[in-house]
Amino acid sequence: MKRMFTDCRLVSMHTSIEHTGGFQVVENAMIAVENGVISAVGTDLPTDGFECLCMAHRLVTPGFIDSHTHLVFAGDRATEFEQRLNGASYQDIAKQGGGILSTVAATRKASMEHLIELAIPRALSLVSDGVTTIEIKSGYGLTVADELKMLRAANAISQHVDVNITTTLLGAHALPPEYQHNAEAYIDLVCNEMIPAAAEENLADAVDVFCETMAFTPAQMARVFDTALKHGLRIKGHTEQLSNQGGSALAASMGAVSVDHIEYLDDIGVKTLAEYGTVATLLPGAFYFLRETQMPPIDLLRANHVPMAVATDFNPGTSPFARLTLMMNMASTLFGLTTKETLYGVTRHAAQAVGMLTKGQITSGFDADFAVWDVQTPAALSYQIGLSPLHARYLKGVKAND
């Protein structure tokens, strides 16, 4: 298949455009696609042998990437939202058997087919916002069988929705009830059974750990990461969300593609991310929904040239938002990110955060995943909430069925 996309107002996110980092709008751009891969980008490309598709002067960006979601789960936690409004903390709710463990109970009871059924409308909401790739974590099963069930459900979503899926095993999300007083034994299970089983079936692309006082220690995280790396899986961390445990620096030093949340990240942690090229993933939905006050160290991240991704963290308890453009708006209004930073955060840097290095840019050799928008400027993508200006999505040069 050879296609030429013409009359684009292109935002490539590629650094070949001098001094702009690909953020400048290029008028009358053309994108040549051969067999799903971009073969050339320019303003005067030869069209012989290509099927030409006119974009009618619409804005064209890389397809958006939601690099952190918990899209697969069962159950509802609206009651906990009400509890927090009445003064209960996230930690208080967890101690009472709520929080993650309430979702674990519901997810364990659900069949894989039911989990898929529940996840499809969530995925459809994301793709209506220009998303072409979704990262989906497990973490609400916390047994070998239930974690694998979640990963199978996550991988199956692309059979129902036109979207790329990348999966992450988050077995070390919380201590399940049967291991409440034996965290080391549960980490043994994750390392000795869960990760090998997921790797054997090719169900996961990465392994994640929630490193926090109410979850797992840096030493336990290191054990999990060692096992993941031995099985050829990428690593990434939920770190420094509620306190500074040094998890981000440890994860980065072990080769993590990203560390996520990072509200309590300190100067040492930031410098370690910079040293190892680890992405800092900002999750403003959780910050907003939990009414947190500790801001991520945005200025330090900028000063040290740490790439920042922006993601929904879509989950039932702390960020029930399946709109990535809303997160872009929140990243700007709550964290002070510029329009350029938010667009990098859902394209180029998001691709780095999930280790998918042929996505997130419109340039030769990259996958032809595009979003086409009925807007005039990139700023409009994080400006208006509730009305999606998406005109069309293309995956590997083929229009998605939205």
Side-chain angles (χ1 to χ4, degrees):
M1 181 194 70
K2 296 176 68 173
R3 285 184 163 175
M4 184 72 70
F5 294 79
T6 65
D7 196 18
C8 305
R9 302 184 64 250
L10 178 63
V11 183
S12 72
M13 308 313 293
H14 182 59
T15 54
S16 63
I17 301 174
E18 188 176 3
H19 304 309
T20 71
F23 183 69
Q24 176 183 329
V25 177
V26 179
E27 304 286 349
N28 303 311
M30 303 169 74
I31 308 167
V33 176
E34 300 185 44
N35 298 317
V37 176
I38 301 167
S39 57
V41 178
T43 55
D44 188 22
L45 301 179
T47 59
D48 290 349
F50 285 86
E51 174 192 1
C52 290
L53 288 79
C54 180
M55 297 295 101
H57 211 53
R58 292 186 175 90
L59 198 74
V60 178
T61 69
F64 286 0
I65 299 166
D66 193 346
S67 61
H68 183 131
T69 83
H70 303 255
L71 208 70
V72 172
F73 62 87
D76 178 87
R77 281 159 65 184
T79 301
E80 293 178 16
F81 175 55
E82 185 176 18
Q83 286 178 297
R84 283 200 300 274
L85 293 177
N86 290 327
S89 71
Y90 183 76
Q91 293 92 329
D92 291 338
I93 292 169
K95 288 175 183 176
Q96 296 166 13
I100 292 170
L101 293 184
S102 67
T103 302
V104 169
T107 302
R108 286 180 175 183
K109 292 177 184 177
S111 68
M112 185 182 80
E113 292 73 21
H114 187 47
L115 290 176
I116 295 168
E117 180 184 352
L118 291 170
I120 286 171
R122 302 163 189 160
L124 288 172
S125 181
L126 288 174
V127 303
S128 73
D129 230 16
V131 172
T132 53
T133 298
I134 305 173
E135 185 262 13
I136 303 177
K137 303 179 190 296
S138 63
Y140 294 127
L142 308 186
T143 68
V144 175
D146 288 306
E147 288 293 297
L148 298 184
K149 176 181 70 176
M150 290 188 68
L151 291 172
R152 292 188 190 106
N155 280 294
I157 290 171
S158 61
Q159 299 171 22
H160 304 272
V161 181
D162 276 347
V163 68
N164 304 302
I165 299 294
T166 180
T167 51
T168 300
L169 173 63
L170 181 57
H173 193 192
L175 272 179
E178 54 271 27
Y179 285 90
Q180 277 302 300
H181 302 291
N182 200 345
E184 288 299 320
Y186 181 65
I187 293 298
D188 287 342
L189 177 75
V190 172
C191 293
N192 298 335
E193 298 184 40
M194 199 178 286
I195 292 174
E200 183 177 1
E201 288 192 47
N202 293 316
L203 291 176
D205 303 303
V207 170
D208 198 346
V209 176
F210 186 19
C211 180
E212 190 52 71
T213 54
M214 61 184 291
F216 298 97
T217 67
Q220 291 164 342
M221 181 174 71
R223 285 185 59 199
V224 173
F225 283 171
D226 274 334
T227 304
L229 293 169
K230 287 174 183 175
H231 284 84
L233 299 172
R234 293 189 288 269
I235 57 172
K236 51 197 301 158
H238 279 61
T239 53
E240 270 70 68
Q241 179 184 9
L242 305 171
S243 62
N244 183 6
Q245 299 296 306
S248 297
L250 175 61
S253 70
M254 295 184 71
V257 289
S258 75
V259 290
D260 303 17
H261 285 292
I262 53 94
E263 280 89 340
Y264 284 82
L265 186 64
D266 60 12
D267 183 68
I268 293 172
V270 170
K271 285 181 166 55
T272 308
L273 299 192
E275 179 182 356
Y276 289 96
T278 301
V279 177
T281 300
L282 307 177
L283 304 175
F287 177 90
Y288 162 82
F289 199 68
L290 292 174
R291 296 191 293 179
E292 297 288 353
T293 57
Q294 176 73 29
M295 292 268 291
I298 302 298
D299 288 339
L300 268 178
L301 293 167
R302 284 179 181 140
N304 286 274
H305 307 290
V306 175
M308 292 181 282
V310 175
T312 62
D313 188 21
F314 179 81
N315 75 78
T318 63
S319 188
F321 308 114
R323 304 293 295 192
L324 191 52
T325 54
L326 173 60
M327 298 303 105
M328 295 166 70
N329 178 279
M330 285 186 178
S332 294
T333 56
L334 299 177
F335 296 162
L337 266 64
T338 66
T339 298
K340 179 177 177 179
E341 287 171 330
T342 61
L343 195 55
Y344 259 81
V346 298
T347 57
R348 182 173 179 152
H349 292 164
Q352 291 175 246
V354 292
M356 302 178 80
L357 301 184
T358 59
K359 297 187 184 296
Q361 301 177 54
I362 297 178
T363 190
S364 297
F366 276 59
D367 295 340
D369 293 352
F370 315 137
V372 183
W373 307 92
D374 286 315
V375 298
Q376 292 300 304
T377 68
L381 299 175
S382 54
Y383 157 67
Q384 183 171 258
I385 298 172
L387 295 174
S388 175
L390 183 71
H391 176 75
R393 295 182 309 129
Y394 289 84
L395 278 74
K396 299 243 173 158
V398 177
K399 190 174 182 181
N401 266 330
D402 293 339

